[in-house]
């Protein structure tokens, strides 16, 4: 079964670029890697999704190496409002049983 | 607004009470989920419904009873809960149970006293 590992917490400052890496050693061959953002007292919110190489949208970039055993969420020029918990999510399929595997979350604190 | 609405947002119940959490999605999705999120713990998947059929019960105690009358509505019936069941209960939906683009509701904060 796939297992995801990500740092428990990170600190950074406004205007900096922040990179959060998640390792997922046994990701399903055809599955996507998805990242979510969660603010206190709210449900997780979709940020970005990718299969391989690099994906960029209006809020983040996602870098996935060729072996797909890890992924890095990149937040450019963070602000105080980016303080949140960030989760990676991958799928795994064992004996035709598909399961979603959530990371434990990385608590990102942005300082002024 | 994520398209997934949960009610109530906050609930306080005694250990002998019976209450229900409600979830409704307006996204036309076919899969719906209940997750539990306790303080300082990862998201815990409780139940998965795909096309109204329960496809996963993640060893959840029987004091939690889900109901999915149609693809747009999901309930979690609660009875004789314990204080350790106090948590944020999140409902979510996705196009189908094979996808990982999941849309969450705001959650229902449950306190068992």
């Amino acid at each position: 079964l796939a297992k995801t590992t990500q740092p428990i917490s990170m600190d950074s400052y406004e205007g900096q670029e922040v990179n959060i890496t998640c390792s997922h050693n046994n990701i399903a061959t055809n599955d996507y890697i998805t990242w979510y953002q969660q603010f206190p007292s709210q449900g997780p919110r979709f940020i970005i999704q990718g299969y391989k190489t690099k994906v960029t949208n209006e809020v983040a970039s996602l870098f996935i190496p060729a072996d797909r055993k890890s992924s890095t969420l990149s937040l450019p020029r963070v602000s105080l409002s980016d303080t949140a918990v960030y989760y990676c999510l991958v799928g795994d399929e064992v004996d035709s049983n598909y399961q979603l595997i959530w990371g434990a979350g990385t608590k990102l604190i942005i300082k002024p | 607004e994520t398209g997934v609405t949960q009610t109530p947002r906050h609930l306080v119940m005694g250990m002998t009470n019976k209450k229900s959490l409600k979830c409704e999605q307006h996204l036309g999705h076919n899969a719906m989920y209940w997750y539990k999120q306790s303080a300082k713990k990862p998201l815990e998947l409780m139940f998965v419904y795909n096309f109204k059929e329960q496809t996963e019960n993640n060893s959840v105690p029987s004091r939690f009873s889900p109901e999915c009358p149609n693809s747009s509505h999901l309930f979690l019936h609660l009875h004789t809960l314990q204080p350790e069941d106090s948590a944020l209960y999140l409902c979510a939906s996705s196009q189908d149970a094979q996808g990982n683009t999941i849309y969450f509701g705001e959650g229902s904060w449950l306190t068992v006293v």
Side-chain angles (χ1 to χ4, degrees), chain A residues 36-112:
Chain A
Y36 289 80
Q37 175 192 55
Q38 186 178 24
F39 296 113
S41 303
Q42 294 185 22
R45 185 180 65 140
F46 173 91
I47 301 176
I48 195 166
Q49 183 181 75
Y51 182 75
K52 61 180 178 180
T53 63
K54 177 184 175 182
V55 178
T56 298
N57 62 21
E58 63 275 9
V59 297
S61 293
L62 181 60
F63 297 91
I64 304 168
D67 66 6
R68 299 187 356 105
K69 291 183 183 295
S70 67
S71 60
T72 298
L73 173 72
S74 181
L75 304 172
R77 297 180 299 281
V78 293
S79 63
L80 296 177
S81 62
D82 292 314
T83 294
V85 180
Y86 292 83
Y87 295 93
C88 64
L89 173 65
V90 302
D92 189 29
E93 189 163 354
V94 178
D95 298 329
S96 301
N97 183 26
Y98 181 85
Q99 291 190 21
L100 293 173
I101 311 297
W102 288 87
T106 298
K107 185 175 184 179
L108 175 65
I109 298 174
I110 305 302
K111 303 174 183 179

Side-chain angles (χ1 to χ4, degrees), chain B residues 29-96:
Chain B
H29 289 164
N30 297 304
M32 296 189 76
Y33 311 77
W34 280 117
Y35 280 86
K36 175 183 178 182
Q37 189 172 40
S38 304
K40 299 183 180 180
K41 286 187 177 181
L43 287 162
E44 299 175 53
L45 179 65
M46 300 176 72
F47 302 103
V48 181
Y49 278 81
N50 199 29
F51 293 93
K52 301 190 302 179
E53 298 296 320
Q54 186 180 124
T55 57
E56 187 160 347
N57 176 339
N58 205 20
S59 302
V60 180
S62 60
R63 57 186 184 270
F64 295 92
S65 174
E67 179 190 359
C68 187
N70 54 61
S71 293
S72 298
H73 293 85
L74 186 64
F75 296 89
L76 188 61
H77 303 299
L78 316 168
H79 62 100
T80 60
L81 295 192
Q82 304 298 312
E84 59 265 28
D85 296 321
S86 298
L88 178 66
Y89 289 85
L90 291 160
C91 174
S93 71
S94 62
Q95 188 59 47
D96 56 56

